[in-house]
C-alpha cells in the first residue's frame, strides 16, 4: 500500500477522552474509530492487526484439535429461557424484538446455542469428545465501557466449547485448551499467566483466567517469579499425551488475582520471588460439567446404552481486547512497537525524496519485494513527519531510502524495537525483514 493513496489517518494531538496509553495510541495511529460508547469501527491498520491476532488464535485452536464454526450474533431468547439464564443475565444483555414481536438478543456468549446445535447431532458416546469454536462479535452492555477496546460493549471473542463423556475426559480437554492458551499468547510475544479464577455467571468449578502484566490492568495479581520465566513454546506438546505436568507446574507456583488471593500462601513465598502487579485478563477457561447439557436436555447414549449428559467446558479469548493489551505491553514515548507476528505490515519503506528517479526506483524495488506486507511512504511530506508516523504506527522495520543511499545502492534499516540502525544492501534489508516475520 502506498501512503499517498492509503486510508491510514494518524493524529498528532493526544485525544483527550483516552485514559490509557493503548487507547490513546489506537486512536492516534488510526486503528479504530468510536461510533458509539464502547463500539468501534476498525480502520485498515487496526483490522489487519485484529486479523493477525485472530489467525494466531485460530491456528492454535486447530492444532489443539478444536474445529472452527461460525454461530450468529443474534440469538433467540428461547434458548436462554431453556438454560434458565435469560432472566439471570440482567442488564448486560442487549435484548431485541423482531417485527413479529419475538424476543431476540445479541449474544454475550454461546453456551446455550452450541449445546443446542451439538445436541441436534450427537447421539452416542462415539460422538465424543468434540471441541467446537468460533471467532465472533459479542455484545455486553457494560455499565462502564472504557479504555477503548479493552472494555468495549461490542467485542471480538474466540469461544470454544468442549463435550466429553466423562469428567476425566473433560479435564483432559480443559488441559488441552490450557496449553493452547499458553502457546497462543507466547506466539504473540506476550507472557500470560494462568490464575485460579471464580467461575462467575457461567458457573462450574474449575477455571483459570489468563492475565498479562500491565500497569493499567484492571486486576491486582500476585505470583511467584518463576512463572515469568516459563517458556511455553520450547516444545510443542502432543495434545493427546498426559498434560497434567503442565497444569501441575502452574498449580505448584502461586498465582492469584485479588479475589483469590491467599495471604498465608503468599507469605510462604521467599520475598525476592514475590511479584505483585496489575494485570489484564485476555482469556478465561471453565470446566462446568453438565450444567448446560442437563438444563437443556442434551444426552447421548453411553457405552452401556444408558443416556448420559456430556461434560462440558468453555474457553474464551478476548481477541479485540488483545490488540489493546499488546500495545500496553509494547510501546514507547513515540508510539506502538508491534511484535513481529502481529504487526499490520512488516515494514514501512520511507522514500525521502519522491520524484527523484533513483530514489523512487530503489524504494519501489524494496517495496515490491515486500508487498503486500509493507507500506511505501511516497507522500510529499517532510522526512520528520514520515519518521514520526512510522514510529507511531509501530512497524517492526523501517527501510529509509534517500538520494545519497540510492546512488550507492544502499538503504538504512531501522529496527523499531531498540532503534538500531544499519546501512545495508536492499537485498539484506529484504531478507532480514522476511526472516523476522516468518520466525
Ligand atoms: P471481565 O472480567 O474482564 O469482565 P469476563 O469474565 O466477563 O471478563 P469472559 O466471559 O471470561 O469475560 O469472556 C472471555 C474473554 O473475553 C475475557 O477473558 C476477555 O478477554 C474478553 N472480554 C470480556 N468482556 C470484554 C469486554 N467488555 N470488552 C473486551 N473484551 C472482553
Ligand atoms: Mg472473566
Amino acid at each position: 500500500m502506498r501512503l499517498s493513496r492509503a486510508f491510514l489517518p494518524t493524529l498528532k494531538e493526544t485525544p483527550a477522552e483516552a485514559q490509557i496509553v493503548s487507547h490513546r495510541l489506537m486512536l492516534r495511529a488510526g486503528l479504530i474509530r468510536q461510533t458509539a460508547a464502547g463500539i468501534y469501527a476498525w480502520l485498515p491498520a487496526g483490522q489487519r492487526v485484529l486479523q493477525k491476532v485472530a489467525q494466531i488464535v485460530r491456528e492454535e485452536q486447530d492444532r489443539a484439535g478444536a474445529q472452527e464454526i461460525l454461530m450468529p450474533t443474534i440469538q433467540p431468547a428461547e434458548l436462554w429461557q431453556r438454560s434458565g439464564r435469560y432472566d439471570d443475565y440482567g442488564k448486560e444483555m442487549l435484548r431485541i424484538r423482531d417485527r413479529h414481536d419475538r424476543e431476540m438478543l445479541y449474544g454475550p456468549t454461546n453456551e446455550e446455542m452450541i449445546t443446542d446445535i451439538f445436541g441436534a447431532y450427537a447421539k452416542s458416546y462415539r460422538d465424543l469428545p468434540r471441541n467446537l469454536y468460533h471467532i465472533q462479535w459479542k455484545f455486553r452492555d457494560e455499565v462502564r465501557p472504557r479504555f477503548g477496546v479493552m472494555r468495549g460493549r461490542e467485542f471480538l471473542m474466540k469461544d470454544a466449547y468442549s463435550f466429553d463423556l466423562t469428567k476425566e475426559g473433560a479435564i483432559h480437554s480443559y488441559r488441552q485448551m490450557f496449553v493452547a492458551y499458553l502457546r497462543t499468547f507466547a506466539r504473540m510475544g506476550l507472557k500470560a499467566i494462568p490464575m485460579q479464577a471464580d467461575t462467575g455467571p457461567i458457573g462450574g468449578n474449575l477455571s483459570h483466567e489468563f492475565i498479562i502484566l500491565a500497569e493499567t490492568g484492571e486486576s491486582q495479581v500476585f505470583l511467584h517469579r518463576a512463572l515469568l520465566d516459563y517458556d511455553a513454546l520450547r516444545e510443542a506438546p502432543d495434545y493427546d499425551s498426559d498434560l497434567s505436568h503442565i497444569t501441575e507446574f502452574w498449580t505448584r507456583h502461586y498465582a492469584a488475582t485479588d479475589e483469590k488471593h491467599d495471604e498465608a500462601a503468599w507469605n510462604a513465598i521467599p520475598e525476592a520471588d514475590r511479584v505483585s502487579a496489575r494485570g489484564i485478563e485476555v482469556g478465561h477457561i471453565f470446566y462446568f460439567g453438565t450444567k448446560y447439557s442437563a438444563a437443556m436436555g442434551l444426552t447421548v447414549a453411553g457405552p452401556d446404552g444408558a443416556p448420559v449428559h456430556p461434560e462440558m467446558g468453555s474457553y474464551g479469548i478476548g481477541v479485540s481486547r488483545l490488540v489493546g493489551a499488546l500495545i500496553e505491553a509494547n510501546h514507547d514515548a513515540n508510539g506502538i512497537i508491534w511484535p513481529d507476528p502481529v504487526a499490520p505490515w512488516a515494514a514501512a519503506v520511507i522514500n525521502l525524496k519522491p520524484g527523484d528517479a533513483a530514489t523512487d526506483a530503489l524504494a519501489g524495488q524494496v517495496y515490491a519485494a515486500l508487498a503486500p506486507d509493507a507500506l511505501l511512504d511516497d507522500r510529499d511530506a517532510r522526512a520528520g513527519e514520515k519518521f514520526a508516523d512510522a514510529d507511531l504506527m509501530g512497524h517492526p522495520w523501517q527501510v529509509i531510502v534517500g538520494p545519497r543511499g540510492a546512488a550507492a545502492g544502499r538503504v538504512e534499516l531501522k529496527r523499531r524495537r531498540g532503534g538500531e540502525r544499519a546501512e545495508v544492501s536492499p537485498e539484506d534489508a529484504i531478507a532480514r525483514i522476511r526472516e523476522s516475520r516468518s520466525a
Side-chain angles (χ1 to χ4, degrees):
M1 184 47 67
R2 292 167 180 275
L3 280 189
S4 59
R5 298 206 207 127
F7 181 64
L8 294 167
T10 55
L11 303 176
K12 283 195 188 58
E13 327 73 58
T14 297
E17 76 269 27
Q19 296 164 20
I20 61 171
V21 67
S22 60
H23 189 194
R24 282 197 290 275
L25 288 174
M26 286 185 80
L27 294 170
R28 284 193 56 210
L31 304 183
I32 52 167
R33 168 91 189 165
Q34 181 172 303
T35 61
I39 305 181
Y40 294 88
W42 292 74
L43 307 183
Q47 164 68 353
R48 284 178 78 101
V49 181
L50 190 63
Q51 293 311 317
K52 288 260 161 28
V53 170
Q55 184 57 22
I56 291 174
V57 170
R58 175 177 289 121
E59 286 170 16
E60 293 302 327
Q61 292 292 293
D62 292 348
R63 185 202 291 260
Q67 268 188 294
E68 186 169 10
I69 61 172
L70 183 58
M71 290 181 270
T73 54
I74 305 293
Q75 306 186 18
E78 180 263 334
L79 275 180
W80 289 67
Q81 283 152 353
R82 274 167 61 198
S83 73
R85 276 208 293 183
Y86 191 56
D87 295 325
D88 296 353
Y89 217 92
K91 291 201 161 186
E92 277 206 2
M93 179 183 274
L94 181 63
R95 296 156 205 259
I96 311 164
R97 272 176 200 278
D98 71 10
R99 65 198 298 163
H100 303 293
D101 225 25
R102 279 187 286 252
E103 290 177 77
M104 314 287 282
L105 57 102
Y106 193 131
T109 177
N110 285 64
E111 280 79 8
E112 284 79 0
M113 185 172 277
I114 195 73
T115 303
D116 185 60
I117 293 171
F118 186 68
Y121 301 98
K123 295 292 168 249
S124 92
Y125 69 94
R126 284 185 221 89
D127 297 319
L128 304 175
R130 293 291 185 277
N131 188 332
L132 301 171
Y133 75 95
H134 73 160
I135 300 175
Q136 178 61 291
W137 295 92
K138 305 289 186 290
F139 195 95
R140 296 182 185 174
D141 205 350
E142 302 271 356
V143 201
R144 224 170 291 105
R146 56 186 183 150
F147 302 156
V149 300
M150 295 272 228
R151 185 164 297 284
R153 293 197 296 164
E154 188 183 46
F155 59 97
L156 190 60
M157 194 204 288
K158 183 284 299 180
D159 38 325
Y161 303 90
S162 65
F163 299 86
D164 277 88
L165 182 64
T166 61
K167 179 169 180 183
E168 294 65 45
I171 289 171
H172 184 66
S173 296
Y174 183 92
R175 287 180 175 146
Q176 289 176 318
M177 284 293 110
F178 189 101
V179 172
Y181 276 40
L182 291 174
R183 287 187 53 87
T184 301
F185 300 124
R187 274 188 62 188
M188 296 174 195
L190 291 172
K191 276 236 175 319
I193 315 284
M195 299 190 184
Q196 292 276 350
D198 284 325
T199 50
I202 290 189
N205 48 25
L206 177 57
S207 176
H208 284 88
E209 288 175 350
F210 286 74
I211 301 217
I212 283 168
L213 303 188
E215 280 164 30
T216 48
E218 292 185 284
S219 323
Q220 182 68 34
V221 297
F222 306 87
L223 58 136
H224 192 295
R225 188 172 300 280
L227 300 179
L228 293 174
D229 300 329
Y230 187 83
D231 180 358
L233 294 178
R234 218 170 17 209
E235 57 191 274
D238 169 2
Y239 281 106
D240 292 325
S241 65
D242 179 5
L243 302 170
S244 57
H245 63 286
I246 297 180
T247 44
E248 195 267 335
F249 171 85
W250 295 94
T251 320
R252 185 152 34 87
H253 293 96
Y254 184 76
T257 57
D258 217 3
E259 297 87 63
K260 289 258 165 173
H261 187 49
D262 171 345
E263 271 307 315
W266 177 244
N267 289 330
I269 301 172
E271 206 157 339
D273 291 333
R274 289 182 211 159
V275 178
S276 156
R278 305 291 299 175
I280 301 166
E281 179 192 326
V282 289
H284 198 165
I285 61 178
F286 305 83
Y287 158 67
F288 47 72
T290 61
K291 180 176 156 114
Y292 296 95
S293 53
M296 299 184 69
L298 164 58
T299 58
V300 299
D304 58 2
V308 188
H309 293 306
E311 296 273 339
M312 292 174 61
S314 74
Y315 314 93
I317 290 183
V319 176
S320 49
R321 177 180 287 184
L322 266 167
V323 177
L326 277 157
I327 297 174
E328 288 294 326
N330 298 282
H331 68 269
D332 65 11
N334 297 329
I336 302 169
I337 308 175
W338 289 117
D340 294 299
V342 298
W345 292 275
V349 180
I350 300 174
N351 181 339
L352 292 180
K353 201 164 185 201
D356 176 74
T359 311
D360 286 349
L362 185 55
Q365 176 202 328
V366 175
Y367 169 64
L370 294 170
D373 199 17
L375 289 176
L376 176 61
D377 195 344
D378 59 344
R379 292 174 300 173
D380 184 17
R382 286 181 303 107
E385 192 176 326
K386 297 183 178 188
F387 296 144
D389 274 351
D391 279 355
L392 172 63
M393 292 185 69
H395 315 297
W397 297 98
Q398 294 169 20
V399 185
I400 300 147
V401 188
R404 206 172 37 83
R410 309 288 280 177
V411 299
E412 191 181 9
L413 183 63
K414 177 184 161 185
R415 184 69 164 153
R416 177 67 177 87
R417 187 183 302 277
E420 303 87 19
R421 295 161 182 273
E423 230 183 66
V424 298
S425 69
E427 294 75 23
D428 281 353
I430 293 162
R432 286 185 63 184
I433 293 166
R434 284 194 184 140
E435 192 190 325
S436 64
R437 189 63 148 178
S438 59

